[in-house]
Amino acid sequence: MSEEVKLHGVWASPFSYRVIWALKLKGIAYEYVEEDLSNKSALLLHYNPVHKQIPVLVHAGKPICESMIIIEYIEEMWPDTPLLPTDHYKRAIARFWIKFADDKALSVLRRTLYTTGEELEKAIKECLEILEIVEEHGLEDKKYFNGEKIGMVDIAFGSILYWLGVNEEVLGVKLLEPHKFPRLHKWFHSFQEVPVIKENLPNRDNVISFLKGRRETLEASST
């Protein structure tokens, strides 16, 4: 495929990094376009007129929106280095966990980022419950969710846990404790050590500073 590939994203967005990781794992050359969501570009509004959000992948002039839909497209368009199992049953299970990540884990992550007081306490409790579910039923002593190779489910959960870990530091709480979640902790360590992931993570201090700023604004508005 020689058609031009561009990715419109934001440096602090877990959704942008999902797509970056998939492109890098597949060895796909692309141009990255940084967006400012406080001053959205005409191109972003043109490519995603419905949600007006990132990430947007543009392939041969055609835009695709929503991070996991983009990755499904990448998987189908560039089938080498597959990110989903070839077995139909295992592929269905992978899609189940991707949906769980986005429907359950992601919504709780957002609430830990953007709530205070009792709502934050509820979000933290729910976050621990979700981690318990994934610990018990998701990995089953496998190195990665797909088995021995990193795949789409790892990308979905990896983006969530990286930003959760940063938010732990901002909030001053610890959620993914090794003694409570040994499988998840081991998996996440392995995930972050994959060269493509390790070399394509945002600067942690910058993300911490960014989230602290968001929380300060949130706390000031709620007083």
Side-chain angles (χ1 to χ4, degrees):
M1 295 289 170
S2 59
E3 299 96 335
E4 187 177 45
V5 178
K6 291 186 178 182
L7 172 62
H8 292 252
V10 168
W11 73 271
S13 165
F15 307 109
S16 295
Y17 280 90
R18 282 178 169 184
V19 181
I20 288 170
W21 295 337
L23 290 167
K24 293 285 187 179
L25 285 163
K26 294 273 192 180
I28 301 164
Y30 68 98
E31 178 187 342
Y32 177 76
V33 180
E34 178 70 18
E35 290 284 351
D36 178 0
L37 295 184
S38 64
N39 183 25
K40 297 172 184 178
S41 72
L43 271 178
L44 176 62
L45 298 176
H46 171 71
Y47 286 140
N48 190 358
V50 177
H51 295 301
K52 303 177 176 64
Q53 293 293 335
I54 54 89
V56 177
L57 185 81
V58 183
H59 178 218
K62 298 176 181 178
I64 305 99
C65 306
E66 302 292 329
S67 63
M68 297 314 298
I69 293 173
I70 292 170
I71 296 174
E72 286 263 7
Y73 175 85
I74 290 169
E75 175 78 345
E76 292 173 3
M77 186 60 63
W78 293 275
D80 292 343
T81 316
L83 300 175
L84 281 172
T86 54
D87 177 84
H88 292 296
Y89 176 74
K90 290 179 180 178
R91 185 175 288 229
I93 296 301
R95 287 196 169 107
F96 168 85
W97 284 113
I98 290 166
K99 185 168 175 57
F100 183 86
D102 276 7
D103 288 356
K104 300 293 185 181
L106 191 54
S107 65
V108 172
L109 171 62
R110 282 179 171 142
R111 286 167 55 207
T112 67
L113 291 170
Y114 300 117
T115 59
T116 59
E118 287 185 10
E119 284 303 309
L120 176 58
E121 289 177 15
K122 288 180 185 176
I124 288 172
K125 182 175 181 289
E126 285 181 40
C127 183
L128 290 169
E129 290 170 355
I130 286 169
L131 291 174
E132 286 172 7
I133 289 170
V134 182
E135 170 77 14
E136 184 176 353
H137 302 290
L139 282 162
E140 298 176 343
D141 294 321
K142 295 179 290 188
K143 185 174 183 180
Y144 301 111
F145 284 87
N146 276 9
E148 288 302 307
K149 291 185 178 180
I150 193 170
M152 208 180 288
V153 184
D154 302 285
I155 289 172
F157 277 111
S159 61
I160 292 169
L161 288 196
Y162 180 81
W163 268 262
L164 178 66
V166 172
N167 204 37
E168 285 178 339
E169 195 162 336
V170 173
L171 294 172
V173 299
K174 189 64 180 172
L175 301 173
L176 189 63
E177 295 190 88
H179 67 281
K180 287 185 179 179
F181 308 105
R183 288 176 178 171
L184 264 175
H185 193 270
K186 183 179 179 182
W187 161 78
F188 190 51
H189 176 76
S190 297
F191 173 80
Q192 291 187 97
E193 288 302 308
V194 174
V196 163
I197 305 301
K198 191 173 185 178
E199 294 161 12
N200 293 281
L201 287 169
N203 180 282
R204 188 178 178 86
D205 291 339
N206 289 346
V207 180
I208 289 171
S209 177
F210 175 78
L211 292 181
K212 278 183 177 178
R214 285 287 185 94
R215 285 214 67 82
E216 286 168 5
T217 301
L218 176 69
E219 288 165 2
S221 66
S222 62
T223 56

